[in-house]
Each structure stands twice: as C-alpha cells, then as structure tokens.
Amino acid sequence: MQLVSGQKIALNPLIQQASTFELVIQWCADFEVDISSFGLGQHERLYHDDYMTFYNQPQTPQGEIKLSFEQEHSSSNRAIFHIDLSQIDPNQTPRFVICATAADTHSSMRNLHSCQIELQSSAEVLATYTLNTSSLLQEKALMLVEIYFKNDAWRMAAIGQGFNGGLPALVEHFGGDVAEPAPASSAVPPIQAAETTSVSAAGRS
C-alpha cells in the first residue's frame, strides 16, 4: 500500500491483530538528521519528558516505543521505531508523532535527497509513505507520520507537515517549553516539557 500525505489508515487490518510492528524511516541527506517521536496526552500536549523518544533517550518508560538506528553509508540512514500497542495506555498517550529535524542551523528539510517511511510487521512491508519535499522552503523540521487511537482502534496518518523552527518549534508545538540558553556555549538549548522535568535534546552523545 502506497500512502499519500493526509491519508489515514486503520492498523488492525494490516497487522492482523498483532500488537507489535515497526516504523522504518529511511533517508538520504548531506547533513545530519535527528529522528524523534512525541507521546501526547490530554490536549495534545507532551505527556511527560520520558515520552519524547530520540537518540539520547531511545525508549519510553514501559517499552511502548523503542528507537534504534542503522547507517548504510555516509549519507543513507535508517531509524526504526519498534512499537508495542499492548503496552500503550490510550487514555494516557493516545497519540505518537514521528518527526525529523535538521541537526544544524544551515540546512533545511527541502534538501533531503529522499525520505521514506515503511510500516512493517514480521519483516513484511505493509505500507509505504514516500515524502515529497518539493513544496518545502526553509523548514528545519518535519512531522512525518502519526500513530493515534480513535473509535477504539489504532490508526496511522501520513502527514509530511513542515516547521520553520526545528526541534524547539516542534517541542513548543506539542506543548513543551524551551528553556533559555545557558551561559555556557551550547549548540542546542535544553528543552523542558510542560509541567515536567527538563529534556535535553542537545545533540548525540
């Protein structure tokens, strides 16, 4: 199944009642791209800082989402989200949004050579969403896909929506607070989720 931007699908008919599946993000770029997910609670706000999953925090507290990375060569990369629906409380975190961000201030997502998201189960590709970046301008971040619970069923939406401000803009969009930069030099200011302790997304270590 080939998805287009804005399309929404029910997961159960595809994964055949299985509780686990993978979202595989494959991209090719001449710059570093950060992949992350946001677990949203009430009012579409980041439920807790533990539910922002990224390179330095690769899984959520109950193992609902686990993130791993693979690099095929210098410019081709894969990020794999291992998702276990049986561990997700839809009353707590009914939405998980997968995002991509340019890691430096000089690059934009329009300059991606390619980006594709695959829904996989038991190593079988069930749905594919190929991102078209031709309509983008200088956006630093992209909301790629969303896994969400509606009408007693889990679903997926292909989004492809851009943001100009990069990772801080995404965090604010999802209800988090971006703290002021510390006096010491830092490439990315620390990020604080609303009403939680701080989340640091300051690069890979």
Side-chain angles (χ1 to χ4, degrees), residues 1 3 7-23 65 81 83-86 88 94-96 98 117-121 126-128 145-158:
M1 177 186 296
L3 304 179
Q7 187 172 353
K8 301 176 182 179
I9 58 172
L11 289 175
N12 276 346
L14 291 177
I15 64 177
Q16 299 295 313
Q17 306 299 321
S19 63
T20 61
F21 63 94
E22 290 75 43
L23 283 180
I65 306 287
F81 286 95
I83 301 174
D84 188 346
L85 297 177
S86 69
I88 302 177
R95 295 180 61 201
F96 287 85
I98 311 299
I117 298 94
E118 293 180 346
L119 170 65
Q120 298 185 8
S121 180
L126 304 176
T128 302
V145 297
E146 175 185 350
I147 303 298
Y148 67 101
F149 192 78
K150 184 178 181 180
N151 296 333
D152 297 322
W154 285 102
R155 307 168 190 274
M156 186 175 82

mmCIF file of all heavy atoms in Angstrom, residues 1 3 7-23 65 81 83-86 88 94-96 98 117-121 126-128 145-158:
data_model
loop_
_atom_site.group_PDB
_atom_site.id
_atom_site.type_symbol
_atom_site.label_atom_id
_atom_site.label_comp_id
_atom_site.label_asym_id
_atom_site.label_seq_id
_atom_site.Cartn_x
_atom_site.Cartn_y
_atom_site.Cartn_z
ATOM 1 N N MET A 1 0.849 -1.203 0.000
ATOM 2 C CA MET A 1 0.000 0.000 0.000
ATOM 3 C C MET A 1 0.877 1.243 0.000
ATOM 4 O O MET A 1 1.761 1.384 0.841
ATOM 5 C CB MET A 1 -0.913 0.008 1.230
ATOM 6 C CG MET A 1 -1.785 1.248 1.351
ATOM 7 S SD MET A 1 -2.732 1.295 2.904
ATOM 8 C CE MET A 1 -3.780 -0.131 2.695
ATOM 9 N N LEU A 3 1.002 5.164 0.566
ATOM 10 C CA LEU A 3 0.241 6.235 1.194
ATOM 11 C C LEU A 3 0.621 7.586 0.599
ATOM 12 O O LEU A 3 1.736 7.769 0.088
ATOM 13 C CB LEU A 3 0.496 6.251 2.701
ATOM 14 C CG LEU A 3 0.225 4.951 3.460
ATOM 15 C CD1 LEU A 3 0.543 5.133 4.933
ATOM 16 C CD2 LEU A 3 -1.215 4.496 3.263
ATOM 17 N N GLN A 7 -3.386 10.930 4.133
ATOM 18 C CA GLN A 7 -4.120 9.665 4.179
ATOM 19 C C GLN A 7 -4.061 9.053 5.570
ATOM 20 O O GLN A 7 -3.034 9.090 6.248
ATOM 21 C CB GLN A 7 -3.545 8.691 3.156
ATOM 22 C CG GLN A 7 -4.347 7.403 3.019
ATOM 23 C CD GLN A 7 -3.868 6.548 1.867
ATOM 24 O OE1 GLN A 7 -3.007 6.966 1.082
ATOM 25 N NE2 GLN A 7 -4.407 5.345 1.739
ATOM 26 N N LYS A 8 -5.169 8.447 5.998
ATOM 27 C CA LYS A 8 -5.266 7.783 7.296
ATOM 28 C C LYS A 8 -5.723 6.354 7.083
ATOM 29 O O LYS A 8 -6.612 6.089 6.273
ATOM 30 C CB LYS A 8 -6.254 8.532 8.199
ATOM 31 C CG LYS A 8 -5.860 9.985 8.443
ATOM 32 C CD LYS A 8 -6.910 10.727 9.248
ATOM 33 C CE LYS A 8 -6.520 12.191 9.449
ATOM 34 N NZ LYS A 8 -7.547 12.937 10.222
ATOM 35 N N ILE A 9 -5.106 5.442 7.824
ATOM 36 C CA ILE A 9 -5.450 4.029 7.678
ATOM 37 C C ILE A 9 -5.604 3.391 9.054
ATOM 38 O O ILE A 9 -4.974 3.802 10.032
ATOM 39 C CB ILE A 9 -4.376 3.256 6.879
ATOM 40 C CG1 ILE A 9 -3.006 3.366 7.562
ATOM 41 C CG2 ILE A 9 -4.314 3.750 5.447
ATOM 42 C CD1 ILE A 9 -1.943 2.480 6.947
ATOM 43 N N ALA A 10 -6.462 2.371 9.146
ATOM 44 C CA ALA A 10 -6.584 1.564 10.358
ATOM 45 C C ALA A 10 -5.458 0.538 10.375
ATOM 46 O O ALA A 10 -5.111 -0.040 9.334
ATOM 47 C CB ALA A 10 -7.943 0.880 10.399
ATOM 48 N N LEU A 11 -4.878 0.288 11.549
ATOM 49 C CA LEU A 11 -3.742 -0.626 11.632
ATOM 50 C C LEU A 11 -4.147 -2.093 11.694
ATOM 51 O O LEU A 11 -3.470 -2.953 11.124
ATOM 52 C CB LEU A 11 -2.882 -0.274 12.849
ATOM 53 C CG LEU A 11 -2.081 1.029 12.735
ATOM 54 C CD1 LEU A 11 -1.366 1.321 14.033
ATOM 55 C CD2 LEU A 11 -1.085 0.939 11.589
ATOM 56 N N ASN A 12 -5.228 -2.411 12.381
ATOM 57 C CA ASN A 12 -5.587 -3.819 12.583
ATOM 58 C C ASN A 12 -5.725 -4.617 11.291
ATOM 59 O O ASN A 12 -5.240 -5.748 11.209
ATOM 60 C CB ASN A 12 -6.867 -3.928 13.413
ATOM 61 C CG ASN A 12 -6.576 -3.848 14.911
ATOM 62 O OD1 ASN A 12 -5.438 -3.960 15.335
ATOM 63 N ND2 ASN A 12 -7.615 -3.657 15.700
ATOM 64 N N PRO A 13 -6.377 -4.101 10.249
ATOM 65 C CA PRO A 13 -6.471 -4.894 9.019
ATOM 66 C C PRO A 13 -5.109 -5.206 8.402
ATOM 67 O O PRO A 13 -4.959 -6.204 7.698
ATOM 68 C CB PRO A 13 -7.299 -4.000 8.089
ATOM 69 C CG PRO A 13 -8.083 -3.128 9.006
ATOM 70 C CD PRO A 13 -7.162 -2.856 10.160
ATOM 71 N N LEU A 14 -4.114 -4.365 8.683
ATOM 72 C CA LEU A 14 -2.789 -4.577 8.112
ATOM 73 C C LEU A 14 -1.933 -5.500 8.966
ATOM 74 O O LEU A 14 -1.287 -6.411 8.459
ATOM 75 C CB LEU A 14 -2.072 -3.235 7.930
ATOM 76 C CG LEU A 14 -2.630 -2.307 6.857
ATOM 77 C CD1 LEU A 14 -1.861 -0.993 6.859
ATOM 78 C CD2 LEU A 14 -2.551 -2.945 5.480
ATOM 79 N N ILE A 15 -1.913 -5.263 10.276
ATOM 80 C CA ILE A 15 -1.036 -6.059 11.146
ATOM 81 C C ILE A 15 -1.732 -7.299 11.683
ATOM 82 O O ILE A 15 -1.144 -8.055 12.466
ATOM 83 C CB ILE A 15 -0.475 -5.192 12.290
ATOM 84 C CG1 ILE A 15 -1.588 -4.687 13.210
ATOM 85 C CG2 ILE A 15 0.323 -4.018 11.733
ATOM 86 C CD1 ILE A 15 -1.069 -3.874 14.404
ATOM 87 N N GLN A 16 -2.993 -7.516 11.279
ATOM 88 C CA GLN A 16 -3.711 -8.757 11.586
ATOM 89 C C GLN A 16 -3.789 -9.029 13.091
ATOM 90 O O GLN A 16 -3.449 -10.118 13.564
ATOM 91 C CB GLN A 16 -3.048 -9.942 10.870
ATOM 92 C CG GLN A 16 -3.042 -9.819 9.361
ATOM 93 C CD GLN A 16 -4.450 -9.835 8.774
ATOM 94 O OE1 GLN A 16 -5.262 -10.679 9.123
ATOM 95 N NE2 GLN A 16 -4.727 -8.891 7.887
ATOM 96 N N GLN A 17 -4.209 -8.014 13.828
ATOM 97 C CA GLN A 17 -4.420 -8.129 15.273
ATOM 98 C C GLN A 17 -3.127 -8.265 16.079
ATOM 99 O O GLN A 17 -3.161 -8.480 17.288
ATOM 100 C CB GLN A 17 -5.352 -9.302 15.608
ATOM 101 C CG GLN A 17 -6.682 -9.287 14.875
ATOM 102 C CD GLN A 17 -7.511 -8.051 15.176
ATOM 103 O OE1 GLN A 17 -7.548 -7.597 16.311
ATOM 104 N NE2 GLN A 17 -8.182 -7.507 14.154
ATOM 105 N N ALA A 18 -1.984 -8.191 15.423
ATOM 106 C CA ALA A 18 -0.714 -8.226 16.157
ATOM 107 C C ALA A 18 -0.582 -6.957 16.978
ATOM 108 O O ALA A 18 -1.136 -5.907 16.638
ATOM 109 C CB ALA A 18 0.456 -8.361 15.195
ATOM 110 N N SER A 19 0.154 -7.029 18.069
ATOM 111 C CA SER A 19 0.325 -5.852 18.924
ATOM 112 C C SER A 19 1.629 -5.119 18.650
ATOM 113 O O SER A 19 1.806 -3.986 19.086
ATOM 114 C CB SER A 19 0.273 -6.253 20.401
ATOM 115 O OG SER A 19 1.354 -7.122 20.725
ATOM 116 N N THR A 20 2.542 -5.759 17.917
ATOM 117 C CA THR A 20 3.839 -5.129 17.650
ATOM 118 C C THR A 20 4.043 -4.949 16.146
ATOM 119 O O THR A 20 3.599 -5.756 15.333
ATOM 120 C CB THR A 20 4.997 -5.974 18.221
ATOM 121 O OG1 THR A 20 4.996 -7.256 17.590
ATOM 122 C CG2 THR A 20 4.854 -6.138 19.719
ATOM 123 N N PHE A 21 4.731 -3.866 15.813
ATOM 124 C CA PHE A 21 5.108 -3.598 14.429
ATOM 125 C C PHE A 21 6.251 -2.595 14.440
ATOM 126 O O PHE A 21 6.652 -2.093 15.492
ATOM 127 C CB PHE A 21 3.923 -3.084 13.608
ATOM 128 C CG PHE A 21 3.366 -1.761 14.076
ATOM 129 C CD1 PHE A 21 3.793 -0.569 13.509
ATOM 130 C CD2 PHE A 21 2.411 -1.708 15.089
ATOM 131 C CE1 PHE A 21 3.289 0.650 13.937
ATOM 132 C CE2 PHE A 21 1.901 -0.493 15.517
ATOM 133 C CZ PHE A 21 2.338 0.681 14.948
ATOM 134 N N GLU A 22 6.790 -2.303 13.261
ATOM 135 C CA GLU A 22 7.895 -1.358 13.150
ATOM 136 C C GLU A 22 7.545 -0.258 12.158
ATOM 137 O O GLU A 22 6.869 -0.500 11.161
ATOM 138 C CB GLU A 22 9.184 -2.052 12.662
ATOM 139 C CG GLU A 22 9.823 -2.996 13.653
ATOM 140 C CD GLU A 22 9.077 -4.310 13.776
ATOM 141 O OE1 GLU A 22 8.679 -4.861 12.728
ATOM 142 O OE2 GLU A 22 8.870 -4.767 14.913
ATOM 143 N N LEU A 23 8.011 0.943 12.474
ATOM 144 C CA LEU A 23 8.029 2.038 11.520
ATOM 145 C C LEU A 23 9.493 2.287 11.168
ATOM 146 O O LEU A 23 10.290 2.624 12.042
ATOM 147 C CB LEU A 23 7.401 3.301 12.105
ATOM 148 C CG LEU A 23 5.880 3.366 12.183
ATOM 149 C CD1 LEU A 23 5.435 4.687 12.789
ATOM 150 C CD2 LEU A 23 5.244 3.186 10.805
ATOM 151 N N ILE A 65 7.516 2.421 22.928
ATOM 152 C CA ILE A 65 8.269 2.826 21.736
ATOM 153 C C ILE A 65 9.752 2.595 22.009
ATOM 154 O O ILE A 65 10.271 3.056 23.027
ATOM 155 C CB ILE A 65 8.042 4.318 21.414
ATOM 156 C CG1 ILE A 65 6.558 4.646 21.301
ATOM 157 C CG2 ILE A 65 8.803 4.720 20.149
ATOM 158 C CD1 ILE A 65 5.898 4.139 20.058
ATOM 159 N N PHE A 81 11.480 2.507 14.624
ATOM 160 C CA PHE A 81 10.660 2.569 15.823
ATOM 161 C C PHE A 81 9.959 1.230 15.995
ATOM 162 O O PHE A 81 9.161 0.819 15.147
ATOM 163 C CB PHE A 81 9.616 3.685 15.718
ATOM 164 C CG PHE A 81 10.179 5.063 15.868
ATOM 165 C CD1 PHE A 81 10.523 5.815 14.749
ATOM 166 C CD2 PHE A 81 10.372 5.619 17.119
ATOM 167 C CE1 PHE A 81 11.044 7.089 14.880
ATOM 168 C CE2 PHE A 81 10.902 6.892 17.266
ATOM 169 C CZ PHE A 81 11.239 7.631 16.152
ATOM 170 N N ILE A 83 7.236 -0.611 17.932
ATOM 171 C CA ILE A 83 6.048 -0.146 18.632
ATOM 172 C C ILE A 83 5.258 -1.336 19.154
ATOM 173 O O ILE A 83 4.961 -2.278 18.397
ATOM 174 C CB ILE A 83 5.176 0.721 17.713
ATOM 175 C CG1 ILE A 83 5.993 1.932 17.226
ATOM 176 C CG2 ILE A 83 3.901 1.172 18.420
ATOM 177 C CD1 ILE A 83 5.295 2.783 16.188
ATOM 178 N N ASP A 84 4.932 -1.306 20.440
ATOM 179 C CA ASP A 84 4.143 -2.363 21.081
ATOM 180 C C ASP A 84 2.844 -1.751 21.576
ATOM 181 O O ASP A 84 2.797 -1.113 22.629
ATOM 182 C CB ASP A 84 4.936 -2.979 22.233
ATOM 183 C CG ASP A 84 4.242 -4.215 22.814
ATOM 184 O OD1 ASP A 84 3.056 -4.440 22.512
ATOM 185 O OD2 ASP A 84 4.898 -4.942 23.582
ATOM 186 N N LEU A 85 1.783 -1.946 20.815
ATOM 187 C CA LEU A 85 0.495 -1.344 21.160
ATOM 188 C C LEU A 85 -0.059 -1.887 22.472
ATOM 189 O O LEU A 85 -0.810 -1.198 23.164
ATOM 190 C CB LEU A 85 -0.504 -1.584 20.028
ATOM 191 C CG LEU A 85 -0.176 -0.956 18.673
ATOM 192 C CD1 LEU A 85 -1.233 -1.352 17.645
ATOM 193 C CD2 LEU A 85 -0.067 0.553 18.781
ATOM 194 N N SER A 86 0.315 -3.120 22.825
ATOM 195 C CA SER A 86 -0.211 -3.723 24.054
ATOM 196 C C SER A 86 0.296 -3.011 25.307
ATOM 197 O O SER A 86 -0.295 -3.150 26.379
ATOM 198 C CB SER A 86 0.155 -5.210 24.121
ATOM 199 O OG SER A 86 1.553 -5.392 24.320
ATOM 200 N N ILE A 88 0.733 0.359 25.414
ATOM 201 C CA ILE A 88 0.289 1.751 25.390
ATOM 202 C C ILE A 88 -1.074 1.877 26.039
ATOM 203 O O ILE A 88 -2.011 1.142 25.712
ATOM 204 C CB ILE A 88 0.221 2.284 23.944
ATOM 205 C CG1 ILE A 88 1.590 2.174 23.267
ATOM 206 C CG2 ILE A 88 -0.249 3.744 23.942
ATOM 207 C CD1 ILE A 88 1.584 2.605 21.812
ATOM 208 N N PRO A 94 -2.647 8.757 23.754
ATOM 209 C CA PRO A 94 -3.359 8.266 22.575
ATOM 210 C C PRO A 94 -2.717 8.643 21.247
ATOM 211 O O PRO A 94 -3.199 8.222 20.202
ATOM 212 C CB PRO A 94 -4.731 8.933 22.719
ATOM 213 C CG PRO A 94 -4.443 10.214 23.444
ATOM 214 C CD PRO A 94 -3.330 9.890 24.396
ATOM 215 N N ARG A 95 -1.633 9.422 21.273
ATOM 216 C CA ARG A 95 -1.002 9.854 20.029
ATOM 217 C C ARG A 95 0.510 9.794 20.154
ATOM 218 O O ARG A 95 1.078 10.219 21.159
ATOM 219 C CB ARG A 95 -1.396 11.287 19.673
ATOM 220 C CG ARG A 95 -2.856 11.501 19.358
ATOM 221 C CD ARG A 95 -3.095 12.975 19.018
ATOM 222 N NE ARG A 95 -2.326 13.390 17.849
ATOM 223 C CZ ARG A 95 -2.034 14.660 17.580
ATOM 224 N NH1 ARG A 95 -2.421 15.626 18.398
ATOM 225 N NH2 ARG A 95 -1.353 14.960 16.494
ATOM 226 N N PHE A 96 1.161 9.284 19.110
ATOM 227 C CA PHE A 96 2.611 9.325 18.981
ATOM 228 C C PHE A 96 2.935 9.897 17.609
ATOM 229 O O PHE A 96 2.504 9.357 16.588
ATOM 230 C CB PHE A 96 3.216 7.925 19.137
ATOM 231 C CG PHE A 96 3.200 7.416 20.542
ATOM 232 C CD1 PHE A 96 2.076 6.777 21.049
ATOM 233 C CD2 PHE A 96 4.293 7.592 21.376
ATOM 234 C CE1 PHE A 96 2.043 6.310 22.351
ATOM 235 C CE2 PHE A 96 4.273 7.134 22.681
ATOM 236 C CZ PHE A 96 3.142 6.483 23.178
ATOM 237 N N ILE A 98 5.811 11.041 14.862
ATOM 238 C CA ILE A 98 7.192 10.807 14.440
ATOM 239 C C ILE A 98 7.668 12.010 13.627
ATOM 240 O O ILE A 98 6.995 12.432 12.684
ATOM 241 C CB ILE A 98 7.296 9.534 13.583
ATOM 242 C CG1 ILE A 98 6.593 8.356 14.255
ATOM 243 C CG2 ILE A 98 8.761 9.216 13.286
ATOM 244 C CD1 ILE A 98 7.137 7.964 15.586
ATOM 245 N N ILE A 117 8.982 6.249 4.682
ATOM 246 C CA ILE A 117 8.552 5.594 5.904
ATOM 247 C C ILE A 117 7.842 4.310 5.530
ATOM 248 O O ILE A 117 6.935 4.307 4.687
ATOM 249 C CB ILE A 117 7.607 6.501 6.731
ATOM 250 C CG1 ILE A 117 8.325 7.789 7.156
ATOM 251 C CG2 ILE A 117 7.120 5.765 7.981
ATOM 252 C CD1 ILE A 117 8.113 8.939 6.209
ATOM 253 N N GLU A 118 8.261 3.204 6.138
ATOM 254 C CA GLU A 118 7.632 1.913 5.897
ATOM 255 C C GLU A 118 6.990 1.387 7.174
ATOM 256 O O GLU A 118 7.594 1.436 8.248
ATOM 257 C CB GLU A 118 8.659 0.888 5.411
ATOM 258 C CG GLU A 118 9.230 1.179 4.038
ATOM 259 C CD GLU A 118 10.244 0.152 3.594
ATOM 260 O OE1 GLU A 118 10.695 -0.640 4.453
ATOM 261 O OE2 GLU A 118 10.599 0.151 2.403
ATOM 262 N N LEU A 119 5.780 0.891 7.056
ATOM 263 C CA LEU A 119 5.120 0.155 8.124
ATOM 264 C C LEU A 119 5.407 -1.320 7.890
ATOM 265 O O LEU A 119 5.044 -1.873 6.839
ATOM 266 C CB LEU A 119 3.617 0.427 8.104
ATOM 267 C CG LEU A 119 2.738 -0.453 8.999
ATOM 268 C CD1 LEU A 119 3.055 -0.212 10.464
ATOM 269 C CD2 LEU A 119 1.269 -0.193 8.723
ATOM 270 N N GLN A 120 6.095 -1.956 8.857
ATOM 271 C CA GLN A 120 6.492 -3.348 8.710
ATOM 272 C C GLN A 120 5.968 -4.196 9.856
ATOM 273 O O GLN A 120 5.867 -3.731 10.995
ATOM 274 C CB GLN A 120 8.019 -3.482 8.647
ATOM 275 C CG GLN A 120 8.674 -2.795 7.476
ATOM 276 C CD GLN A 120 10.164 -3.071 7.401
ATOM 277 O OE1 GLN A 120 10.698 -3.898 8.145
ATOM 278 N NE2 GLN A 120 10.850 -2.385 6.490
ATOM 279 N N SER A 121 5.662 -5.445 9.546
ATOM 280 C CA SER A 121 5.290 -6.430 10.562
ATOM 281 C C SER A 121 5.850 -7.768 10.123
ATOM 282 O O SER A 121 5.661 -8.170 8.966
ATOM 283 C CB SER A 121 3.773 -6.511 10.716
ATOM 284 O OG SER A 121 3.414 -7.465 11.702
ATOM 285 N N LEU A 126 4.086 -3.464 4.833
ATOM 286 C CA LEU A 126 2.638 -3.429 4.660
ATOM 287 C C LEU A 126 2.152 -2.116 4.052
ATOM 288 O O LEU A 126 1.108 -2.084 3.394
ATOM 289 C CB LEU A 126 1.954 -3.654 6.011
ATOM 290 C CG LEU A 126 2.349 -4.943 6.745
ATOM 291 C CD1 LEU A 126 1.675 -4.988 8.104
ATOM 292 C CD2 LEU A 126 1.990 -6.162 5.920
ATOM 293 N N ALA A 127 2.878 -1.036 4.296
ATOM 294 C CA ALA A 127 2.502 0.271 3.750
ATOM 295 C C ALA A 127 3.756 1.119 3.636
ATOM 296 O O ALA A 127 4.685 0.991 4.439
ATOM 297 C CB ALA A 127 1.467 0.960 4.627
ATOM 298 N N THR A 128 3.781 1.993 2.638
ATOM 299 C CA THR A 128 4.933 2.847 2.383
ATOM 300 C C THR A 128 4.457 4.277 2.146
ATOM 301 O O THR A 128 3.464 4.506 1.457
ATOM 302 C CB THR A 128 5.704 2.373 1.140
ATOM 303 O OG1 THR A 128 6.127 1.022 1.337
ATOM 304 C CG2 THR A 128 6.932 3.240 0.889
ATOM 305 N N VAL A 145 4.752 11.064 10.351
ATOM 306 C CA VAL A 145 3.552 10.238 10.496
ATOM 307 C C VAL A 145 3.087 10.282 11.947
ATOM 308 O O VAL A 145 3.825 10.694 12.845
ATOM 309 C CB VAL A 145 3.796 8.774 10.070
ATOM 310 C CG1 VAL A 145 4.150 8.679 8.600
ATOM 311 C CG2 VAL A 145 4.857 8.122 10.930
ATOM 312 N N GLU A 146 1.860 9.821 12.144
ATOM 313 C CA GLU A 146 1.270 9.802 13.481
ATOM 314 C C GLU A 146 0.576 8.460 13.706
ATOM 315 O O GLU A 146 -0.134 7.966 12.827
ATOM 316 C CB GLU A 146 0.258 10.934 13.612
ATOM 317 C CG GLU A 146 -0.509 10.944 14.921
ATOM 318 C CD GLU A 146 -1.591 12.016 14.943
ATOM 319 O OE1 GLU A 146 -1.611 12.860 14.024
ATOM 320 O OE2 GLU A 146 -2.410 12.003 15.867
ATOM 321 N N ILE A 147 0.813 7.873 14.868
ATOM 322 C CA ILE A 147 0.071 6.702 15.326
ATOM 323 C C ILE A 147 -0.902 7.200 16.381
ATOM 324 O O ILE A 147 -0.492 7.830 17.361
ATOM 325 C CB ILE A 147 1.015 5.645 15.931
ATOM 326 C CG1 ILE A 147 2.088 5.230 14.913
ATOM 327 C CG2 ILE A 147 0.223 4.425 16.404
ATOM 328 C CD1 ILE A 147 1.547 4.593 13.668
ATOM 329 N N TYR A 148 -2.193 6.940 16.208
ATOM 330 C CA TYR A 148 -3.168 7.514 17.138
ATOM 331 C C TYR A 148 -4.337 6.563 17.362
ATOM 332 O O TYR A 148 -4.623 5.671 16.546
ATOM 333 C CB TYR A 148 -3.664 8.863 16.625
ATOM 334 C CG TYR A 148 -4.483 8.807 15.359
ATOM 335 C CD1 TYR A 148 -5.865 8.884 15.388
ATOM 336 C CD2 TYR A 148 -3.849 8.681 14.114
ATOM 337 C CE1 TYR A 148 -6.615 8.832 14.208
ATOM 338 C CE2 TYR A 148 -4.586 8.634 12.945
ATOM 339 C CZ TYR A 148 -5.966 8.711 12.993
ATOM 340 O OH TYR A 148 -6.705 8.648 11.838
ATOM 341 N N PHE A 149 -5.023 6.748 18.495
ATOM 342 C CA PHE A 149 -6.141 5.897 18.905
ATOM 343 C C PHE A 149 -7.438 6.666 18.753
ATOM 344 O O PHE A 149 -7.608 7.739 19.313
ATOM 345 C CB PHE A 149 -5.956 5.473 20.367
ATOM 346 C CG PHE A 149 -6.879 4.388 20.815
ATOM 347 C CD1 PHE A 149 -6.652 3.067 20.473
ATOM 348 C CD2 PHE A 149 -7.982 4.680 21.605
ATOM 349 C CE1 PHE A 149 -7.499 2.052 20.899
ATOM 350 C CE2 PHE A 149 -8.846 3.679 22.034
ATOM 351 C CZ PHE A 149 -8.609 2.360 21.680
ATOM 352 N N LYS A 150 -8.358 6.107 17.971
ATOM 353 C CA LYS A 150 -9.640 6.768 17.740
ATOM 354 C C LYS A 150 -10.710 5.710 17.491
ATOM 355 O O LYS A 150 -10.481 4.751 16.753
ATOM 356 C CB LYS A 150 -9.552 7.717 16.541
ATOM 357 C CG LYS A 150 -10.821 8.515 16.280
ATOM 358 C CD LYS A 150 -10.640 9.478 15.113
ATOM 359 C CE LYS A 150 -11.899 10.299 14.871
ATOM 360 N NZ LYS A 150 -11.744 11.234 13.734
ATOM 361 N N ASN A 151 -11.878 5.917 18.124
ATOM 362 C CA ASN A 151 -13.003 4.988 17.959
ATOM 363 C C ASN A 151 -12.588 3.547 18.251
ATOM 364 O O ASN A 151 -12.882 2.615 17.489
ATOM 365 C CB ASN A 151 -13.598 5.107 16.558
ATOM 366 C CG ASN A 151 -14.202 6.471 16.291
ATOM 367 O OD1 ASN A 151 -14.630 7.163 17.216
ATOM 368 N ND2 ASN A 151 -14.219 6.880 15.030
ATOM 369 N N ASP A 152 -11.865 3.387 19.370
ATOM 370 C CA ASP A 152 -11.464 2.066 19.865
ATOM 371 C C ASP A 152 -10.519 1.323 18.926
ATOM 372 O O ASP A 152 -10.462 0.078 18.951
ATOM 373 C CB ASP A 152 -12.689 1.186 20.142
ATOM 374 C CG ASP A 152 -13.573 1.755 21.240
ATOM 375 O OD1 ASP A 152 -13.023 2.309 22.211
ATOM 376 O OD2 ASP A 152 -14.808 1.662 21.115
ATOM 377 N N ALA A 153 -9.780 2.039 18.106
ATOM 378 C CA ALA A 153 -8.845 1.381 17.197
ATOM 379 C C ALA A 153 -7.620 2.255 16.979
ATOM 380 O O ALA A 153 -7.710 3.488 16.970
ATOM 381 C CB ALA A 153 -9.519 1.077 15.857
ATOM 382 N N TRP A 154 -6.476 1.585 16.797
ATOM 383 C CA TRP A 154 -5.240 2.295 16.476
ATOM 384 C C TRP A 154 -5.155 2.539 14.973
ATOM 385 O O TRP A 154 -5.513 1.675 14.173
ATOM 386 C CB TRP A 154 -4.019 1.501 16.944
ATOM 387 C CG TRP A 154 -3.822 1.558 18.421
ATOM 388 C CD1 TRP A 154 -4.142 0.599 19.333
ATOM 389 C CD2 TRP A 154 -3.258 2.645 19.163
ATOM 390 N NE1 TRP A 154 -3.824 1.021 20.602
ATOM 391 C CE2 TRP A 154 -3.284 2.265 20.528
ATOM 392 C CE3 TRP A 154 -2.756 3.893 18.824
ATOM 393 C CZ2 TRP A 154 -2.806 3.102 21.534
ATOM 394 C CZ3 TRP A 154 -2.285 4.732 19.823
ATOM 395 C CH2 TRP A 154 -2.306 4.334 21.157
ATOM 396 N N ARG A 155 -4.682 3.726 14.615
ATOM 397 C CA ARG A 155 -4.618 4.143 13.222
ATOM 398 C C ARG A 155 -3.278 4.830 12.944
ATOM 399 O O ARG A 155 -2.545 5.182 13.871
ATOM 400 C CB ARG A 155 -5.777 5.098 12.897
ATOM 401 C CG ARG A 155 -7.137 4.523 13.272
ATOM 402 C CD ARG A 155 -8.234 5.589 13.226
ATOM 403 N NE ARG A 155 -9.469 5.074 13.805
ATOM 404 C CZ ARG A 155 -10.391 4.384 13.139
ATOM 405 N NH1 ARG A 155 -10.221 4.136 11.855
ATOM 406 N NH2 ARG A 155 -11.482 3.948 13.744
ATOM 407 N N MET A 156 -2.996 5.041 11.675
ATOM 408 C CA MET A 156 -1.803 5.782 11.282
ATOM 409 C C MET A 156 -2.183 6.825 10.245
ATOM 410 O O MET A 156 -3.009 6.562 9.357
ATOM 411 C CB MET A 156 -0.736 4.853 10.706
ATOM 412 C CG MET A 156 0.589 5.588 10.413
ATOM 413 S SD MET A 156 1.929 4.497 9.870
ATOM 414 C CE MET A 156 1.546 4.333 8.128
ATOM 415 N N ALA A 157 -1.574 8.009 10.367
ATOM 416 C CA ALA A 157 -1.789 9.088 9.410
ATOM 417 C C ALA A 157 -0.448 9.488 8.794
ATOM 418 O O ALA A 157 0.550 9.618 9.496
ATOM 419 C CB ALA A 157 -2.429 10.294 10.091
ATOM 420 N N ALA A 158 -0.428 9.662 7.476
ATOM 421 C CA ALA A 158 0.729 10.212 6.774
ATOM 422 C C ALA A 158 0.561 11.736 6.751
ATOM 423 O O ALA A 158 -0.458 12.237 6.294
ATOM 424 C CB ALA A 158 0.808 9.658 5.354
#
